Amino acid sequence: MPMTLRETLRLTVAALMQATGDSQNDLAGPLGLTQTQISRRQSGRTAWTLDDCDLLAAHFGLPTLELLAGPTRACELLPAARLRSARTETARAPRAVGR
């Protein structure tokens, strides 16, 4: 039996959070939700809304339809600057010494 769009979206958000290192708190602010509301959506107790999808896509730098295409496609299109490894390397990069 194929996955529902609701299940696909939950898996996609989880995959994107893993790839970027974002926490539920990191998603909550840009979406205008609380961490508890994000948790409810990710656990399936509450459904993601269409407005949420637009905001999620914008947060991750993706077209909304690509967010709905599933975790593999969404992660493939994730901007390089949003990847956890890119953020970690940027944070670890030596700072230029001022003159």
Side-chain angles (χ1 to χ4, degrees), residues 32-54:
L33 300 170
T34 65
Q35 180 275 325
T36 301
Q37 290 170 310
I38 298 292
S39 177
R40 287 182 184 141
R41 282 163 172 76
Q42 279 303 97
S43 69
R45 288 178 285 172
T46 302
W48 289 103
T49 67
L50 291 176
D51 289 338
D52 291 339
C53 291
D54 287 334

Side-chain angles (χ1 to χ4, degrees), residues 13-23 26-27 59-60 75 78-79 81-85 87-88:
V13 172
L16 290 169
M17 288 173 65
Q18 178 66 31
T20 62
D22 284 355
S23 67
D26 294 328
L27 291 182
H59 175 76
F60 288 114
C75 287
L78 194 61
R82 291 287 285 126
L83 293 172
R84 176 191 301 247
S85 60
R87 290 172 46 187
T88 302

